[in-house]
């Protein structure tokens, strides 16, 4: 049986557990505050301007949008859907189980499941309707704020990237993991606005929440690794 890879010192000293709890609290506060703001109609002009910039009048109707580019956006947005994210998390957890990285596996499950539940609750509390300024190019049924695709993709992909960075030794590989996750999350969020099913502020709130949530679980993971190393310094 191959022991888990040793974690280098430069990635085992994240902020303390206090900052992890603070990040979670801040994420919730930011989401609720933004939700109350947009629910009252504030910021509507900015939302409208950005949405129309991505879907100007000639493209407001899905019939006039480029079929090829529209399909690209639909494919990208699917990467933030519940089915794909579940498959991605399951595959990552399977790999972590094979490698016997039990702590990382538990953190991935805890971070992604709790984040998804939190987003669902906030959607219900805010209840913002979806934009009707342009045609919807995909079906959407739930409340608009925050963007579930933006929030859940940020929660899943960033949490996975940050936690895997704690067990990957190569610095270039760690940077690649984080860069790929950030790029993917940004593309998914932009696709939701282009497809007309979210206001830009929905996506921004989702990105903010997912990022803070991922950082919180990264901090928790680092804190637990430090505690484990202090309790059994001779173990890998």
């Amino acid at each position: 049986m191959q022991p888990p890879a040793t974690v280098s010192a430069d990635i085992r000293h994240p902020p303390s557990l206090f900052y992890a709890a603070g990040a979670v609290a801040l994420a919730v506060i930011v989401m609720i505050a933004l939700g109350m703001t947009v629910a009252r109609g504030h910021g509507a002009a900015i939302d409208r301007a950005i949405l129309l910039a991505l879907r100007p009048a000639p493209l407001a109707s899905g019939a006039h949008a480029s079929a090829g580019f529209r399909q690209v956006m639909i494919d990208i947005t699917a990467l933030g859907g519940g089915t794909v994210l579940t498959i991605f998390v399951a595959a990552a957890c399977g790999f972590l189980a094979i490698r016997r990285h039990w702590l990382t596996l538990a953190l991935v499950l805890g971070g992604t499941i709790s984040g998804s539940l939190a987003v669902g609750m906030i959607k219900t509390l805010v209840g913002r309707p979806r934009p009707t300024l342009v045609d919807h190019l995909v079906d959407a049924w739930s409340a608009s704020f925050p963007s579930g695709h933006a929030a859940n993709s940020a929660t899943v992909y960033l949490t996975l990237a940050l936690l895997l960075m704690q067990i990957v030794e190569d610095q270039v590989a760690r940077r690649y993991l984080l860069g790929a996750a950030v790029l993917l999350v940004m593309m998914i969020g932009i696709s939701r606005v282009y497809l007309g099913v979210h206001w830009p502020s929905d996506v921004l709130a989702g990105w903010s929440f997912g990022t803070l949530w991922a950082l919180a679980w990264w901090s928790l993971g680092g804190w637990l690794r430090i505690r484990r190393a202090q309790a059994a310094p001779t173990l890998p």
Side-chain angles (χ1 to χ4, degrees):
M1 181 180 66
Q2 184 178 1
T6 303
V7 181
S8 58
D10 63 322
I11 55 173
R12 293 187 62 161
H13 296 279
S16 67
L17 185 61
F18 172 80
Y19 293 112
V24 172
L26 180 59
V28 174
I29 291 172
V30 167
M31 290 287 282
I32 293 175
L34 286 174
M36 290 179 176
T37 299
V38 298
R40 293 185 176 95
H42 301 298
I46 298 176
D47 266 341
R48 290 172 60 90
I50 297 175
L51 182 54
L52 289 176
L54 287 177
R55 291 276 298 280
L59 300 180
S61 170
H64 298 287
S66 167
F69 188 72
R70 178 176 58 198
Q71 187 58 51
V72 169
M73 290 291 103
I74 293 173
D75 291 341
I76 290 174
T77 211
L79 297 175
T83 301
V84 173
L85 292 178
T86 300
I87 293 173
F88 201 90
V89 170
C93 288
F95 172 78
L96 292 170
I98 292 173
R99 299 293 297 174
R100 299 187 180 276
H101 290 296
W102 304 117
L103 175 58
T104 304
L105 189 154
L107 289 167
V108 167
L109 286 176
T112 55
I113 293 174
S114 63
S116 178
L117 292 174
V119 170
M121 288 188 293
I122 296 172
K123 270 182 174 288
T124 302
L125 287 173
V126 176
R128 186 189 193 187
R130 292 184 182 270
T132 57
L133 194 60
V134 297
D135 287 352
H136 294 182
L137 302 185
V138 291
D139 294 329
W141 300 277
S142 62
S144 187
F145 185 94
S147 166
H149 279 65
N152 289 326
S153 65
T155 299
V156 169
Y157 294 128
L158 293 181
T159 296
L160 279 171
L162 290 173
L163 290 175
L164 289 175
M165 286 171 65
Q166 293 181 338
I167 61 175
V168 172
E169 288 293 329
D170 185 72
Q171 187 176 10
V172 175
R174 294 201 300 268
R175 290 177 177 175
Y176 174 81
L177 283 171
L178 184 58
V182 169
L183 179 61
L184 183 57
V185 169
M186 290 180 62
M187 291 171 60
I188 291 170
I190 293 171
S191 74
R192 300 304 286 172
V193 179
Y194 177 83
L195 294 172
V197 293
H198 277 295
W199 296 105
S201 57
D202 299 335
V203 171
L204 179 60
W207 283 341
S208 300
F209 175 84
T211 300
L212 288 169
W213 203 264
L215 287 172
W217 284 86
W218 171 76
S219 299
L220 175 61
W223 180 78
L224 289 173
R225 293 180 199 284
I226 292 172
R227 289 291 299 272
R228 186 175 65 174
Q230 291 172 343
T234 60
L235 294 179

